[in-house]
Amino acid sequence: MTTPQYGSDLVVDLMRAAGIEYVAFNPGATFRGLHDSIVNYGGNRTPEIILCTHEEIAVSVAHGYAKAAGRPMATVAHNIVGLQHASMAIFNAFCDRAPILVLGGTGPMDTSKRRPWIDWIHTALVQGTLVRDYVKFDDQPASIAAVPEAFVRAWRIARTEPQGPVYVCLDATVQEERLERAIPLPDLVRFEPPAPPQADPQALEDAARRLCEARSPVILVGSLGGKPAARPICSPRLSSISPTPTRGVRASRAPTRWT
């Protein structure tokens, strides 16, 4: 890597600073700048491209990665049409509380820079409204200088419990604009997710007492069942632990698992 020269180079630096290993997408013209920077500026490493033939596949790959690795990866959707293709998979990730960084391309928002027809029919004003009801956060920074804050906020919110997908739309002009000055990267260590909400201590004591007094206790877990920190609860005292129908739990050979 060299010194970043374009807005899309800065986005690659941000993804690398966040430790994003992979980015899945079906190539599109509105993020050609980002695509170019990932390959030629970033060397296609951290993040590495996972080429997909459809946006719904790309988001589903990121969904599966989040479930298996326990952390988000990125995906990119081309303009409004790619986001429409991706929308069902984004909704699935939202329902499953899977953290995904969904980046998007749009525009150019400056209509004087648009190509005839195609840039007009594929561009929406405030593109995030399409998925706003089932992402935790969406933003569309209007300048290169605004990109780091939008990225950091999205990255933090996606990983905050309850986790979920976020959407950051990048104007094609912002991606391809030359950097006139160095833009410092934020220290992402300062933007770690906050501690998750805690249960009422009295309610926890009551639940623990009931479990200890029960003859054959059974626990039905939701998304908590997929959290490694929750596994110590699988003690020999419990008769069985089962996932609820809508929530997947990692495979286990524990004797208390009857699924």
Side-chain angles (χ1 to χ4, degrees), residues 83 87-97 126-139 163-167:
L83 188 59
S87 60
M88 188 65 229
I90 295 172
F91 177 75
N92 286 339
F94 180 78
C95 293
D96 203 22
R97 299 181 184 177
V126 191
Q127 205 157 277
T129 54
L130 176 65
V131 294
R132 185 166 292 168
D133 287 339
Y134 44 91
V135 294
K136 291 186 65 183
F137 171 82
D138 75 272
D139 198 2
Q163 297 180 339
V166 294
Y167 177 67

Side-chain angles (χ1 to χ4, degrees), residues 42-208:
N44 197 29
R45 286 181 291 183
T46 318
E48 177 183 347
I49 293 171
I50 298 177
L51 189 63
C52 300
T53 55
H54 195 281
E55 288 80 6
E56 190 169 1
I57 296 172
V59 176
S60 297
V61 167
H63 185 169
Y65 178 91
K67 300 292 285 186
R71 60 182 182 274
M73 62 174 274
T75 182
V76 193
H78 162 57
N79 226 315
I80 192 68
V81 289
L83 188 59
Q84 286 174 314
H85 281 162
S87 60
M88 188 65 229
I90 295 172
F91 177 75
N92 286 339
F94 180 78
C95 293
D96 203 22
R97 299 181 184 177
I100 302 173
L101 176 63
V102 182
L103 300 175
T106 192
M109 295 306 295
D110 183 347
T111 57
S112 67
K113 297 180 179 179
R114 291 182 187 173
R115 297 171 295 171
W117 190 61
I118 193 68
D119 284 345
W120 291 82
I121 64 170
H122 282 181
T123 299
L125 186 60
V126 191
Q127 205 157 277
T129 54
L130 176 65
V131 294
R132 185 166 292 168
D133 287 339
Y134 44 91
V135 294
K136 291 186 65 183
F137 171 82
D138 75 272
D139 198 2
Q140 186 170 315
S143 67
I144 296 176
V147 169
E149 181 178 352
F151 182 96
V152 168
R153 290 186 67 191
W155 183 246
R156 187 173 194 254
I157 291 171
R159 298 178 299 138
T160 299
E161 296 288 352
Q163 297 180 339
V166 294
Y167 177 67
V168 177
C169 187
L170 302 170
D171 184 353
T173 303
V174 171
Q175 296 175 55
E176 298 171 13
E177 186 177 344
R178 280 190 173 272
L179 297 177
E180 297 179 354
R181 58 180 177 82
I183 297 179
L185 295 180
D187 181 5
L188 294 187
V189 175
R190 297 176 53 204
F191 298 96
E192 285 297 303
Q198 301 297 311
D200 176 64
Q202 186 59 46
L204 287 175
E205 287 188 16
D206 183 57

